[in-house]
Amino acid sequence: MNPTKTARRAAAALVVPALLFTAACGGSDSKDTDAQKSGAVAKVSGKFGAEPKIDVPDDAKVSDDVVVSEVLAGKGAEVKKGDTVRLDYAGNIEALGSTWAQRPGTDAKAPRTQIVQEIGQAGAMLPSKITDALAGQKVGSRVQIEGTAQGIVGDQLNPDLGIKPTDPLIWVIDIVNAKKIDKKAEAKGDQAASEAGMPEVKAPSQKAATITIPKGEKAPKDLQQQVLIKGGGAEVKAGEGLVVQYTGVKWEDGKKFDSSWDNNGATVFPIGVNAVIEGWDKALVGKNVGDRVLLTIPPNLAYGASPTSELAKNNLVFVVDILDTI
């Protein structure tokens, strides 16, 4: 099972260009500088951290090659291949999506659901050619990326959208943060015994945890949580990218249905912004980097609202190692 499906299955409707496919310090207002010198056709205005305005001439023709230009220069660390970036973006057409649009039902004052993606990651939220173009840029930069639909999306372009292969696609990206993730990292420290009525956890190094459901115990009706290892890192805040290792089992039969350890190791996703199951948002915001957390989550805070999910009726148990934030 794809490691992102468990944590992010509820995020299938993120403000990202799902319809497009078939399958921290900024600068001042943007100016006609590098973007126009690079041959970019769109004019971008606005400040880093604010929704950009993208003006594209009606007769604009862009190159099949990806054209990258720095609209605003950041002063943070340089983004490198293999880094995971947290970013905001807007596109020149609705099909590209935008992180500036709040998800339906989300508090207008809540943090936006930003994109968290590894540079070079295939099959992710943004086309790999777009995130690849961020390598060499600096955190805090606003970057303009252009190309034809064929040049950037290729054969994955959804034909139902009415987008021609030669149509210009423009992304404007604010690089909020970037880090290299250790895919083999895990929480360290003495693990506490599970509290009465909670599942027992054995977590061997570099392997999925073994979670044993207590015999004769009914699944809790409410969210239950226990910190098994107390970390000393920063507090997790809503809107950040959260880096974790995890293992999940069903309370009903104790069977494992997913684990980051069985896939590519540590995974990352936005937390506290309705991008993961509600039980994770409620439990993990406010915890600390370095914590190992045991969670029991009832269906209404897991996949109960997704009748097509094979886990819709299940109470879920997770062991989550909080490794870092981005």
Side-chain angles (χ1 to χ4, degrees), residues 64-128:
D64 282 334
D65 296 328
V66 177
V67 176
V68 183
S69 51
E70 183 183 79
V71 180
L72 298 170
K75 299 178 182 179
E78 182 179 309
V79 178
K80 296 175 181 168
K81 185 176 180 180
D83 282 357
T84 295
V85 293
R86 177 160 64 94
L87 57 86
D88 275 306
Y89 85 94
N92 66 312
I93 58 174
E94 185 177 356
L96 299 188
S98 171
T99 60
W100 299 100
Q102 285 282 26
R103 288 167 58 85
T106 302
D107 187 337
K109 296 182 180 179
R112 293 186 306 281
T113 305
Q114 296 171 319
I115 298 298
V116 183
Q117 183 171 327
E118 183 179 330
I119 300 295
Q121 182 181 1
M125 307 310 259
L126 292 179
S128 59

Side-chain angles (χ1 to χ4, degrees), residues 64-296:
D64 282 334
D65 296 328
V66 177
V67 176
V68 183
S69 51
E70 183 183 79
V71 180
L72 298 170
K75 299 178 182 179
E78 182 179 309
V79 178
K80 296 175 181 168
K81 185 176 180 180
D83 282 357
T84 295
V85 293
R86 177 160 64 94
L87 57 86
D88 275 306
Y89 85 94
N92 66 312
I93 58 174
E94 185 177 356
L96 299 188
S98 171
T99 60
W100 299 100
Q102 285 282 26
R103 288 167 58 85
T106 302
D107 187 337
K109 296 182 180 179
R112 293 186 306 281
T113 305
Q114 296 171 319
I115 298 298
V116 183
Q117 183 171 327
E118 183 179 330
I119 300 295
Q121 182 181 1
M125 307 310 259
L126 292 179
S128 59
K129 285 188 178 182
I130 298 302
T131 54
D132 285 352
L134 301 179
Q137 302 291 335
K138 291 186 177 181
V139 171
S141 295
R142 169 165 285 181
V143 183
Q144 178 176 340
I145 304 171
E146 298 183 356
T148 61
Q150 179 63 37
I152 292 179
V153 183
D155 295 338
Q156 287 185 300
L157 183 67
N158 187 339
D160 296 332
L161 294 177
I163 300 174
K164 299 176 182 177
T166 56
D167 284 349
L169 300 184
I170 292 96
W171 279 262
V172 178
I173 294 176
D174 285 0
I175 306 174
V176 179
N177 204 350
K179 285 185 180 179
K180 179 74 173 179
I181 292 175
D182 180 359
K183 296 295 184 73
K184 295 184 178 181
E186 57 191 343
K188 300 290 187 180
D190 294 331
Q191 179 175 298
S194 298
E195 297 170 351
M198 292 287 277
E200 179 185 347
V201 175
K202 294 182 179 179
S205 180
Q206 302 296 300
K207 293 182 180 180
T210 299
I211 303 171
T212 304
I213 307 301
K215 292 183 179 180
E217 290 280 351
K218 292 184 178 180
K221 294 182 180 179
D222 300 315
L223 174 68
Q224 300 293 318
Q225 52 187 296
Q226 180 187 352
V227 177
L228 299 177
I229 295 177
K230 181 61 179 174
E235 181 179 309
V236 175
K237 297 178 181 178
E240 293 181 319
L242 191 64
V243 185
V244 302
Q245 300 280 13
Y246 67 90
T247 299
V249 305
K250 295 177 286 185
W251 182 286
E252 288 73 15
D253 58 14
K255 290 184 179 180
K256 179 178 65 175
F257 59 86
D258 201 5
S259 176
S260 58
W261 290 108
D262 296 338
N263 294 283
N264 296 318
T267 188
V268 59
F269 49 85
I271 192 67
V273 289
N274 196 29
V276 293
I277 57 174
E278 189 174 355
W280 280 47
D281 275 346
K282 286 181 175 293
L284 299 182
V285 172
K287 295 296 190 293
N288 292 87
V289 172
D291 285 355
R292 172 171 291 162
V293 186
L294 172 62
L295 305 174
T296 67

